[in-house]
Amino acid sequence: MQKYDLSKSYVKEVNSNIALETDQLSVFYGKKQATYDISLKIPKHSITALIGASGSGKSTYLRSLNRMNENGNTNVKGKIIYEGIDINSSKVNVYEVRKHIGMVFQEPNPFAKSIRGNITFALKNHGIKDKKVLEERVVSSLKQAAIWDEVKDHLDDSAMSLSGGQKQRLCIARAIAMQPDILLLDEPTSALDPVSTGKIEETLRELKKNYTIIIVTHNIQQASRVSDYTAFMHSGHLLEYNDTNSIFNNPEMQITNDYISGHFG
Amino acid sequence: MNPKSVNRIATTVINSLVGVVVALLVLLISYILVTGLPHMSLDFLLSPSQSYQAGGGIRDQLFNSIYLVILTLIISFPIALGAGIYLAEYAPKNWIVDVIRTLIEVLSSLPSVVVGLFAYLVFVIKFQVGFSIISGAVALTIFNLPLLTRNIEDSIKSVPDFQMQGALALGLSKWTTIIKIIFPSAIPGIITGIILSSGRIFGEAAALIYTSGQSAPVLNYANWNPFSPDSFLNPMRPAETLAVHIWKVNSEGITPDANAISSGASAVLILVIILFNFFAHWIGKKLYKKFTVGEVK
Amino acid sequence: MKNSLKEKFLSPSKQTYQESFGKIISSFCILIIIALVVSILGFVTTKGIDTFTQSKINVFDFLFGNVWSPSSTGANGKPEVGAAPMIVTSFTVTLISAAIATPFAIACAIFMTFIANNRGSRLLRSTIELLVGIPSVIYGYIGLTLVVPLVRSIYGGTGFGILAGAIVLFVMILPTVTSLTVDSIKSVPDYYIKASYGLGATRWQTIYKVVLKISLPGILTAVIFGMTRAFGEALAVQMVIGNSITMPTNLTTPASTLTSQLTTGIGNTIMGTLQNNALWSLALVLLFMSLFFNILIKIIGKRGAAKYES
């Protein structure tokens, strides 16, 4: 593999309607640095894809956005600005952050509860007691996640009996039932078959009308299919950020071109 | 000698050593059951013990053993649960936690007679509680805590981490997640551990001789007031357990039919332990299936 | 709107309190356990050294003295609290029982992993696990009714003594040692075994030169675990050893271990007297030995791990 210059990058300036912004975000696992000074502005009501080879730091970066990196000896430096507040500050209530910025993981991880229980569990903990409100949230979130038709007749069955793709859409429903602003998805389809993947991509396109979505994906085609903006990361550096069309048709950096045409990754 | 004949000789030696062990095991269990079962009549199980005459039963001792197991679990389970959760989910990776783990290992390897003497010194003598079920339960709690804590820690750790991640991402606290999501999934392992430790408590004697005592006062099973001295529920009364009873009739030997009593009681003890074992495995499997419905394909 | 959002972000919520509550509760539980261990170590130590500080008994006289008679005065004008007979007996029964148990345990472990079919090994394994749970009084009772008469009929005398004690302990620790040895042998990576067979080694060569060599630290740990149990066992030994505090000269005359003396003695002495304190000193010796075995296991574990990594 040829050597690339990691000090050069092309980041398009996006200025209108910013949902989330990071300013020089660096993540450290102990002494090891995983991402380097990433500054990025994510536009509202759009899908932004983070692409790059394994170990490029894209998942690490994504997980810091709602402070899921706070275990053990992980250290996140820099600013994450949401609604004018630096939510990376230790003074900020992390539970409140996660209510506004939801997350869906690579491995479908519904709780060992009923389908309904999966959705209402967190809502109840956040103080929603009204049965009618809860039921509304169940219905609307399952509909938005495009799984309602498949499960509406057995909401009280165990979520564990669903197929992998259904489980993942349930997890998306569980996340949007919280009515977040931003939805982070960490390789949400990499454990799924093509049909389920297609359904989830369709769901995402629907969801971006109401949510800002950031998706990490290993699948370059997926990024080109669903996203409006694409950020390319390599070795912990953000190397190129542009609208998806430009990245895929006319990348500014040689390395980006090499990655999307499959020369490495 | 060529390697092949060495191999043959080694196999023969190993097989015969195993044969000896198997013979020992069979001898052990059948001896207890063969000598014990004939004495195990309903009358033996349901009549009180005798100190100086033949024909005594083990009613009170059996009840004391069961009562002690229950009391011990009531005291030790919540502490072990909290400690297990701490070690599994909250403990940072540093030298202090390493020291804590070492201390727990030390506790689990202490001779039970030392644990018993400690409880005797502190509870029976210093706090003047006297020989009582509650002192015995404290001694057994000390003896039981490290194993139960370890079991709970392992069971909680065996729940996949992505369950925790999923809940945290919904803005839930770690504690709520542990109690409401992780703990229910860990229940099968925890229950198995509780049953196995109950078996250990049930058979323990050395820690009890000087804590719950060696006498079994006559109990009134109709008296449900735990504060009344002759109530079977009174935790402040001395209580000889089945295991202590076996030890006592054998080492003091004033009871004329000591042999009959101990063989009967040993058979009861071993049957209970076998029962505990089977029950633990059975319930573990059963609950495991129940909690993982549809997950295994 | 903006301001209220900022306020929400900067103030604690229900979850913050739940989390603090959980941390406090679980830390409290772990503190209880720590307090228990520390107070056991503390109490037994303070009680145990009373013999030396209050009654001014020389530590060496205690450890190496041959006569145990705390209520009578010896030649040097001090009470006789020589614990050597019990210390020697404790070590002797422990070492003998471990020495007999080890080959049997290794044989069983090899049998289960390499020789027996699946069903046979599972049957043997579950029986052995069941035996781990058998209470020690039952071992003592069997020792009393089977082993002691057997020893008596072969060697004469009472039958009580170190031999009977060691046999009972051997049967008692065998399941523990075996099941830990099985774990250690099973943890040998399969590719080593396959590589050895691939080179044309026989089964025994593979077991002896590869498997046992790699699992040696694990087997040692298993044996020490067994010794910890044997050394600390009280009632099973007390029932068959004869409980006579004399320096053992052979294996078939009554003797007394640290634990058996503790069990019989505590009830017959008065708190605070030298007779009683001397017993606590025996408990202290037990405590030290238990710590010593623990450290030994730690060291072996560390060395084994280091060897594996390099």
Side-chain angles (χ1 to χ4, degrees):
Chain A
M1 205 178 105
Q2 73 184 95
K3 279 266 177 205
Y4 296 103
D5 183 359
L6 296 177
S7 64
K8 287 188 185 140
S9 63
Y10 176 84
V11 178
K12 186 191 170 167
E13 268 296 307
V14 188
N15 277 323
S16 59
N17 271 334
I18 303 301
L20 191 71
E21 179 185 349
T22 65
D23 184 15
Q24 309 231 321
L25 200 72
S26 296
V27 182
F28 298 83
Y29 290 126
K31 280 179 187 145
K32 196 174 155 280
Q33 189 164 2
T35 73
Y36 296 83
D37 299 334
I38 296 182
S39 301
L40 193 60
K41 289 176 180 170
I42 311 279
K44 259 184 190 157
H45 298 309
S46 66
I47 300 182
T48 302
L50 300 175
I51 62 170
S54 314
S56 60
K58 54 191 191 304
S59 281
T60 305
Y61 173 72
L62 186 82
R63 292 170 57 85
S64 351
L65 298 182
N66 68 342
R67 294 179 48 186
M68 288 294 286
N69 265 342
E70 285 194 345
N71 299 344
N73 52 359
T74 314
N75 192 2
V76 182
K77 286 194 177 126
K79 282 183 183 164
I80 305 169
I81 296 154
Y82 170 75
E83 300 284 347
I85 305 162
D86 175 15
I87 54 172
N88 195 34
S89 152
S90 60
K91 284 182 214 137
V92 167
N93 181 337
V94 64
Y95 310 106
E96 210 57 41
V97 168
R98 292 174 187 158
K99 263 163 78 178
H100 288 82
I101 307 177
M103 189 166 202
V104 175
F105 298 83
Q106 177 172 5
E107 193 68 36
N109 57 355
F111 305 133
K113 294 176 175 293
S114 67
I115 294 169
R116 190 198 310 275
N118 261 277
I119 299 199
T120 54
F121 176 63
L123 298 175
K124 284 180 187 159
N125 188 264
H126 288 291
I128 301 176
K129 294 278 185 285
D130 188 342
K131 284 229 168 93
K132 247 168 73 192
V133 177
L134 286 172
E135 200 55 29
E136 272 169 29
R137 292 272 184 109
V138 170
V139 175
S140 72
S141 64
L142 288 172
K143 277 185 176 161
Q144 286 186 76
I147 187 180
W148 171 250
D149 290 332
E150 292 158 65
V151 299
K152 64 180 175 199
D153 296 327
H154 32 94
L155 290 177
D156 292 313
D157 287 9
S158 167
M160 294 302 178
S161 58
L162 297 174
S163 75
Q166 289 173 325
K167 277 183 189 163
Q168 193 64 304
R169 276 179 286 147
L170 175 63
C171 290
I172 294 176
R174 182 174 75 181
I176 55 189
M178 298 287 301
Q179 303 187 332
D181 264 355
I182 303 172
L183 207 52
L184 310 174
L185 299 113
D186 189 1
E187 304 201 31
T189 61
S190 68
L192 304 179
D193 61 278
V195 177
S196 306
T197 303
K199 279 189 183 164
I200 286 182
E201 286 179 8
E202 216 170 287
T203 310
L204 294 184
R205 274 190 285 264
E206 263 319 295
L207 287 175
K208 79 170 175 185
K209 291 174 191 158
N210 301 312
Y211 304 95
T212 302
I213 293 173
I214 308 174
I215 177 172
V216 161
T217 177
H218 211 84
N219 179 336
I220 303 164
Q221 280 72 37
Q222 183 170 61
S224 74
R225 280 196 302 265
V226 298
S227 70
D228 304 302
Y229 297 88
T230 298
F232 170 67
M233 289 180 67
H234 188 73
S235 298
H237 296 267
L238 172 68
L239 293 187
E240 184 159 355
Y241 177 54
N242 211 330
D243 50 85
T244 300
N245 253 330
S246 310
I247 289 253
F248 279 87
N249 296 323
N250 191 17
E252 301 278 337
M253 315 282 295
Q254 179 61 37
I255 182 171
T256 315
N257 189 38
D258 287 355
Y259 179 73
I260 58 176
S261 40
H263 289 196
F264 70 92
Chain B
M1 229 184 325
N2 73 32
K4 277 209 172 136
S5 23
V6 175
N7 186 43
R8 209 164 331 118
I9 294 169
T11 307
T12 318
V13 171
I14 289 171
N15 283 344
S16 32
L17 287 177
V18 174
V20 172
V21 172
V22 172
L24 266 176
L25 303 189
V26 173
L27 177 80
L28 207 78
I29 295 193
S30 53
Y31 177 76
I32 293 174
L33 295 183
V34 169
T35 56
L37 285 181
H39 299 287
M40 230 179 85
S41 61
L42 210 57
D43 187 49
F44 178 66
L45 292 177
L46 295 182
S47 58
S49 61
Q50 301 288 345
S51 298
Y52 307 107
Q53 317 162 9
I58 54 167
R59 179 189 73 189
D60 299 337
Q61 284 79 7
L62 193 56
F63 173 77
N64 287 340
S65 290
I66 296 168
Y67 193 31
L68 203 51
V69 168
I70 295 171
L71 271 185
T72 305
L73 286 179
I74 291 177
I75 305 174
S76 58
F77 180 69
I79 302 174
L81 182 64
I85 288 175
Y86 179 84
L87 290 176
E89 299 286 354
Y90 287 117
K93 276 190 187 127
N94 58 26
W95 65 270
I96 301 175
V97 176
D98 285 344
V99 171
I100 293 176
R101 283 181 197 280
T102 310
L103 283 180
I104 294 177
E105 273 167 40
V106 166
L107 185 58
S108 78
S109 67
L110 282 184
S112 57
V113 59
V114 172
V115 171
L117 287 180
F118 167 76
Y120 167 67
L121 181 66
V122 174
F123 281 84
V124 179
I125 306 287
K126 284 237 157 81
F127 294 170
Q128 302 191 337
V129 180
F131 290 131
S132 62
I133 294 196
I134 198 74
S135 303
V138 169
L140 290 182
T141 294
I142 301 174
F143 170 79
N144 192 29
L145 270 179
L147 286 138
L148 201 54
T149 302
R150 182 71 189 270
N151 164 261
I152 291 174
E153 182 192 350
D154 289 348
S155 304
I156 285 179
K157 273 189 176 161
S158 72
V159 178
D161 189 47
F162 54 68
Q163 291 274 330
M164 174 64 91
Q165 300 284 320
L168 290 183
L170 292 168
L172 296 171
S173 65
K174 219 170 166 179
W175 177 250
T176 308
T177 312
I178 294 166
I179 296 301
K180 300 255 175 79
I181 305 278
I182 307 286
F183 177 68
S185 301
I187 282 178
I190 294 177
I191 298 232
T192 308
I194 288 179
I195 297 174
L196 288 177
S197 64
S198 308
R200 272 166 42 90
I201 303 172
F202 195 82
E204 176 56 33
L208 293 179
I209 292 176
Y210 294 114
T211 50
S212 62
Q214 307 168 36
S215 59
V218 178
L219 299 180
N220 178 359
Y221 288 91
N223 184 348
W224 286 77
N225 175 8
F227 301 103
S228 150
D230 74 334
S231 163
F232 66 108
L233 288 176
N234 182 359
M236 306 307 282
R237 64 183 166 83
E240 184 190 39
T241 66
L242 202 52
V244 172
H245 190 56
I246 294 175
W247 173 74
K248 202 183 160 205
V249 291
N250 275 300
S251 49
E252 306 211 325
I254 12 178
T255 323
D257 57 348
N259 241 324
I261 291 173
S262 13
S263 52
S266 297
V268 173
L269 204 51
I270 254 195
L271 283 180
V272 171
I273 304 287
I274 292 177
L275 222 68
F276 272 135
N277 251 282
F278 276 114
F279 192 52
H281 284 288
W282 177 78
I283 210 162
K285 263 190 203 157
K286 187 113 184 160
L287 286 175
Y288 182 77
K289 269 194 194 140
K290 195 184 155 205
F291 278 98
T292 52
V293 165
E295 227 172 13
V296 196
K297 287 230 169 112
Chain C
M1 166 70 202
K2 267 256 164 89
N3 262 340
S4 76
L5 186 71
K6 186 156 193 176
E7 212 160 84
K8 255 188 172 175
F9 269 40
L10 289 174
S11 50
S13 62
K14 184 178 152 200
Q15 287 77 23
T16 320
Y17 299 122
Q18 284 170 340
E19 190 63 3
S20 320
F21 173 79
K23 271 190 184 157
I24 291 170
I25 288 279
S26 64
S27 315
F28 179 70
C29 291
I30 203 88
L31 280 178
I32 292 181
I33 299 187
I34 297 170
L36 273 175
V37 188
V38 171
S39 47
I40 290 180
L41 299 181
F43 268 106
V44 175
T45 309
T46 38
K47 281 300 270 182
I49 58 174
D50 274 355
T51 312
F52 313 114
T53 52
Q54 282 183 9
S55 312
K56 307 269 185 270
I57 303 290
N58 189 314
V59 181
F60 289 97
D61 289 343
F62 172 77
L63 288 176
F64 301 110
N66 276 340
V67 184
W68 178 272
S69 179
S71 37
S72 56
T73 314
N76 60 358
K78 280 181 183 167
E80 307 246 38
V81 281
M86 287 162 282
I87 296 175
V88 169
T89 310
S90 275
F91 272 104
T92 317
V93 286
T94 303
L95 290 174
I96 295 179
S97 60
I100 314 174
T102 308
F104 283 102
I106 294 176
C108 284
I110 292 173
F111 181 80
M112 277 191 252
T113 18
F114 290 96
I115 300 177
N117 59 12
N118 230 338
R119 241 185 86 208
S121 91
R122 226 178 323 155
L123 190 71
L124 190 58
R125 184 166 198 154
S126 45
T127 321
I128 282 173
E129 267 165 20
L130 177 70
L131 285 181
V132 177
I134 289 189
S136 53
V137 281
I138 292 192
Y139 287 108
Y141 164 68
I142 292 176
L144 195 62
T145 49
L146 280 184
V147 179
V148 170
L150 187 75
V151 174
R152 179 163 47 215
S153 68
I154 297 174
Y155 297 98
T158 58
F160 290 97
I162 290 178
L163 184 62
I167 293 174
V168 167
L169 285 178
F170 146 66
V171 183
M172 208 184 98
I173 66 172
L174 181 64
T176 313
V177 183
T178 307
S179 99
L180 288 170
T181 305
V182 172
D183 291 345
S184 137
I185 284 187
K186 280 226 169 111
S187 70
V188 174
D190 207 32
Y191 48 80
Y192 283 121
I193 298 164
K194 287 207 172 113
S196 169
Y197 281 139
L199 290 168
T202 62
R203 182 162 73 195
W204 174 247
Q205 281 172 325
T206 305
I207 291 168
Y208 185 67
K209 300 231 162 111
V210 178
V211 176
L212 290 185
K213 226 170 218 171
I214 295 177
S215 51
L216 187 67
I219 297 176
L220 274 179
T221 309
V223 174
I224 296 172
F225 258 108
M227 287 171 64
T228 314
R229 223 186 136 188
F231 202 86
E233 174 51 41
L235 300 189
V237 179
Q238 189 265 349
M239 286 162 89
V240 299
I241 198 117
N243 300 309
S244 143
I245 312 167
T246 46
M247 190 50 110
T249 47
N250 66 55
L251 300 183
T252 53
T253 49
S256 190
T257 62
L258 293 165
T259 49
S260 71
Q261 183 51 30
L262 266 177
T263 348
T264 33
I266 283 286
N268 302 328
T269 53
I270 298 153
M271 233 350 133
T273 60
L274 174 66
Q275 288 93 316
N276 187 273
N277 286 343
L279 290 172
W280 283 100
S281 303
L282 298 184
L284 185 60
V285 175
L286 271 178
L287 192 75
F288 271 128
M289 278 315 295
S290 164
L291 292 178
F292 171 74
F293 284 131
N294 247 293
I295 292 168
L296 217 55
I297 289 170
K298 275 249 142 107
I299 291 173
I300 293 172
K302 271 206 182 126
R303 284 223 173 146
K307 225 177 179 180
Y308 238 92
E309 272 161 26
S310 60

